[in-house]
Amino acid sequence: MDTVERLVSVVDSNIEQMVRMAILHIIQLGTKHGIFKVLSREPTYQEVLDSVGLPNRRLLLEFLNTLKAIGIIEEKEGRLKLNGFSCTLKVPQEHYDSLLPGWVSTLEEIYRMVDYAFITPTHPHVLMDFDKDADFWDIRMTTDFADLYRKTISVAAGLEQGMSVLDLGCGSAAPSYFGRIVGYDGFYTGVDYSSAILEIAKSRAETDNLPVELKELDVRLIRPVNEYDVAVISYLLEYLKPDDYGRVLKRTLETLKPGGRLIILEPFREEFKHIEALEFFEKLNKDFVGFPRRNDVIRTIEGNGFDVSIEPLGRSLLRVTLMP
């Protein structure tokens, strides 16, 4: 039987590899579009924007900021200088069997989208809108990696038949996954603001004849009236500003039964070096804010005055238990 520690370790290994691949693609983009050639002259930001010739100057500026964040360039007296960046891409032997193939093709598709986004952020080949491009997001939500982190969440929560679950930012695949676990003796409520993604989730749940409730709502506006054994927040906080996710966390904890658990899964930014490389590609979605810091999330929860136990598990999961 997989332990939660083992499962989180596998999640972390795959996120780490995603970051490493993102760094390689950042370097590829800088070479492909002649950005490094311009940077070799120690230009100003404006000189780079004027010389490279990519129409989407805002994205180009974001790319330069990413290079600076991960240490490929530095700014001195208003000029940008390549600083001899090096990064060792090493996968420890014990992690080879942990790497999952499913996420690779979806991230490769996002890498290809950047070329179109450099032309215009509204290019039809940029498939990152939750409603307009729901099919692409459904593909991301049904990979082996997505299955893995849902399993990790269920084990961390101790989820079983008859329990009640609140899932914020539920997406298209989680309702059926968790609905099967809690069964007809329990109940599942999934909340998402994308009507298109919820339509996919609804169709999938109806096909499987699962008793799940789905609500189209911005999670910042939630005011749940039921009590739940488990609340799930996965890959959601990255789309919320800290003030917003503070309110969401407070209202979510208010819905838990005594002894209930809140499971938060995110690539916490202080835990993954150079995570800004991965963020650059995720920012093709206009709603993406940035991966949260785990310490900020913990402080936010503690600042709300709840009597809770907070357990960091691995580098990407928090288990919060509301004390009886």
Side-chain angles (χ1 to χ4, degrees), residues 137-183:
W137 281 98
D138 183 55
I139 292 172
R140 292 193 78 178
M141 294 171 189
T142 52
T143 62
D144 47 11
F145 176 70
D147 283 338
L148 167 68
Y149 71 70
R150 284 190 287 269
K151 180 178 181 180
T152 305
I153 289 168
S154 67
V155 173
L159 199 60
E160 57 188 28
Q161 189 172 2
M163 283 187 168
S164 52
V165 179
L166 173 65
D167 188 0
L168 301 183
C170 64
S172 60
S176 293
Y177 184 90
F178 293 123
R180 291 190 197 95
I181 296 176
V182 301

Side-chain angles (χ1 to χ4, degrees), residues 126-138 140-141 169 171-172 192-200 235-236 238-239 282 284-289:
V126 180
L127 308 175
M128 294 291 279
D129 183 89
F130 285 124
D131 271 327
K132 182 166 64 72
D133 306 308
D135 287 340
F136 175 73
W137 281 98
D138 183 55
R140 292 193 78 178
M141 294 171 189
S172 60
D192 205 296
Y193 84 88
S194 169
S195 59
I197 284 177
L198 285 178
E199 279 299 314
I200 297 173
Y235 285 96
L236 171 68
E238 63 209 56
Y239 296 100
E282 295 294 346
L284 292 182
N285 182 307
K286 60 182 176 56
D287 295 317
F288 184 85
V289 175

Side-chain angles (χ1 to χ4, degrees), residues 227-248:
E227 285 190 322
Y228 296 89
D229 297 301
V230 173
V232 176
I233 296 178
S234 60
Y235 285 96
L236 171 68
L237 299 185
E238 63 209 56
Y239 296 100
L240 302 175
K241 296 178 181 178
D243 287 347
D244 290 329
Y245 72 62
R247 289 192 295 273
V248 171

Side-chain angles (χ1 to χ4, degrees), residues 38-93:
V38 174
L39 287 170
S40 68
R41 306 170 194 148
E42 299 188 12
T44 63
Y45 271 103
Q46 190 62 49
E47 287 170 345
V48 178
L49 297 176
D50 293 340
S51 300
V52 172
L54 292 170
N56 189 344
R57 294 161 73 93
R58 179 176 295 180
L59 184 61
L60 177 55
L61 181 60
E62 186 65 49
F63 183 80
L64 294 174
N65 288 336
T66 300
L67 293 180
K68 187 161 69 171
I70 65 179
I72 291 179
I73 62 174
E74 58 184 341
E75 184 178 8
K76 287 186 176 181
E77 298 179 350
R79 294 197 165 271
L80 303 176
K81 180 180 179 181
L82 292 162
N83 65 2
F85 172 84
S86 65
C87 178
T88 301
L89 301 181
K90 180 180 179 181
V91 182
Q93 185 173 358

